Amino acid sequence: MAFDLETPETNETENLVWLGHLSPDSDTIGSAIGAAELFGGEARRAGELNKETAFVMDYCGAQLPKMFDKTEGKKVGIVDFNQRTQLHKDVDMHDIVAIIDHHAIQDQPITFNTVISMDIRPWGSAATILADRFEKMGKVPTKSTACVLLAGILSDTLVFESPTTTAFDRPFADKLAKIAGIEDVEAFGWAMLEAKSDLAEVSTYDVLKGDFKHYEIHGKKVGYGVAETLKPEQLIERHDEFLKEMEGEKAKQGLDYIFFAIVDTKSKHSHLVIYSDAEAELAATAYGEVAKDGWMELPGLISRKKQLMPAIQETLSA
């Protein structure tokens, strides 16, 4: 019998893992843990944690999911993405049985020869969807799982200040906070952002790749990294280092365009590193701004999902 999110009592889960995208953030990790607790199976991760998510795991007392192992031969449930460019290279797409996500189905989606169970909603985080499913199934997540799901919501909505925030996110965050025993939701969220912001000791390459996603749009390969921080000056001063790392990454991945945005979460402003004339021309058309001295300033644009990438996609699709 096929795996079905709507009839969890009939699913075979002994050989099931839940896995997120290649740059595991708080929403990806929290959603994998939540899905495993709700539907059965085990949580896995596809890469190393960023500093925010490492803080969350410690704060919540949650068990770190094991790295996905190509030798496992397990069925896979996908959380927080739906594109092949973000899928771990050792996952056989024939083994994917379900997808829970909050992103648009764009270029290079994961496709199947048979129908699978999906839950894709335009909500602020995959964790919000999992919280709703816990409630509708009449189940209460454990304290640590409620905590990591709350962290997923806070991370992806930038503590409810991102344009991706929906009317569903805050109510479920408050419910999860009660279960997790967290009295001040905003304080927890800003503590997460503080943990993410201290990047002084993190290598330039690791900052570039910490939240880096690949896209393919009308045959053009685009890499787009972001670093959300309350301390943008730590990264702005590394401009030349970013250019060097972007040069290597662009060549290694065979990208047509590469972008990296330093997102100042306090002032709601992105500083876009411009790698070459090709990126400058594309970004100028997409954002209506002019590059200067290797930078493009993007006031008010802070969400890659809702603002930064859609403009690039629209431009390349024209």
Side-chain angles (χ1 to χ4, degrees):
M1 182 178 294
F3 186 94
D4 192 344
L5 293 169
E6 304 306 322
T7 56
E9 66 279 359
T10 67
N11 293 329
E12 174 56 54
T13 60
E14 291 183 4
N15 197 39
L16 175 68
V17 297
W18 293 91
L19 183 70
H21 51 72
L22 292 170
S23 300
D25 54 19
S26 298
D27 190 29
T28 277
I29 294 296
S31 296
I33 292 171
E37 183 169 303
L38 183 60
F39 295 106
E42 299 179 49
R44 291 286 187 270
R45 58 190 169 99
E48 298 298 336
L49 304 186
N50 62 34
K51 294 188 74 171
E52 177 196 273
T53 309
F55 165 82
V56 166
M57 296 300 290
D58 181 64
Y59 184 96
C60 295
Q63 184 175 356
L64 178 64
K66 297 177 183 177
M67 197 77 79
F68 181 80
D69 188 341
K70 66 180 180 180
T71 65
E72 286 184 295
K74 293 182 179 292
K75 298 299 182 183
V76 179
I78 295 297
V79 295
D80 196 31
F81 77 104
N82 64 66
Q83 289 181 292
R84 282 179 283 173
T85 53
Q86 298 172 36
L87 180 66
H88 192 289
K89 63 182 179 61
D90 292 321
V91 174
D92 187 332
M93 286 198 288
H94 293 93
D95 291 332
I96 297 174
V97 297
I99 295 178
I100 300 173
D101 189 23
H102 67 121
H103 294 90
I105 300 175
Q106 298 170 327
D107 294 82
Q108 297 292 305
I110 297 169
T111 56
F112 312 92
N113 293 324
T114 58
V115 177
I116 72 163
S117 193
M118 294 189 186
D119 187 348
I120 300 178
R121 312 183 201 177
W123 291 11
S125 71
T128 313
I129 300 171
L130 265 301
D132 179 60
R133 282 196 165 270
F134 265 102
E135 185 172 273
K136 284 184 167 55
M137 290 170 61
K139 295 185 177 182
V140 178
T142 61
K143 183 176 180 178
S144 64
T145 296
C147 185
V148 295
L149 285 172
L150 170 60
I153 296 174
L154 294 172
S155 179
D156 267 28
T157 65
L158 290 178
V159 197
F160 313 118
E161 293 189 8
S162 170
T164 61
T165 308
T166 69
F168 302 97
D169 301 306
R170 182 62 195 245
F172 278 111
D174 289 339
K175 293 175 184 178
L176 291 167
K178 288 182 180 179
I179 298 169
I182 295 175
E183 295 184 3
D184 193 329
V185 172
E186 277 80 6
F188 177 40
W190 285 104
M192 289 168 52
L193 293 179
E194 287 280 358
K196 178 188 287 189
S197 296
D198 188 9
L199 299 170
E201 303 303 319
V202 181
S203 74
T204 304
Y205 178 78
D206 287 342
V207 174
L208 174 68
K209 294 290 287 180
D211 188 359
F212 193 90
K213 292 187 177 181
H214 293 82
Y215 305 85
E216 188 164 333
I217 307 159
H218 283 251
K220 297 295 184 182
K221 294 182 178 180
V222 181
Y224 210 124
V226 298
E228 296 167 345
T229 178
L230 295 169
K231 303 175 181 179
E233 63 281 355
Q234 286 185 351
L235 303 182
I236 290 172
E237 65 185 18
R238 294 202 228 173
H239 179 268
D240 291 347
E241 295 176 33
F242 280 117
L243 288 180
K244 182 178 179 181
E245 298 296 351
M246 290 165 75
E247 179 182 19
E249 192 65 16
K250 187 175 183 180
K252 183 171 68 175
Q253 300 294 337
L255 301 173
D256 295 287
Y257 302 97
I258 186 168
F259 295 100
F260 178 70
I262 300 168
V263 179
D264 184 339
T265 51
K266 185 175 183 179
S267 68
K268 306 299 183 292
H269 186 113
S270 288
H271 309 271
L272 187 67
V273 180
I274 299 297
Y275 173 69
S276 74
D277 289 345
E279 281 80 7
E281 183 179 347
L282 175 56
T285 304
Y287 303 126
E289 301 287 350
V290 177
K292 182 179 180 181
D293 299 327
W295 292 102
M296 182 175 287
E297 301 302 326
L298 303 174
L301 302 186
I302 59 173
S303 170
R304 177 176 51 196
K305 173 189 171 185
K306 189 123 182 179
Q307 297 171 316
L308 298 173
M309 266 312 298
I312 295 294
Q313 290 163 329
E314 182 178 349
T315 302
L316 288 176
S317 299

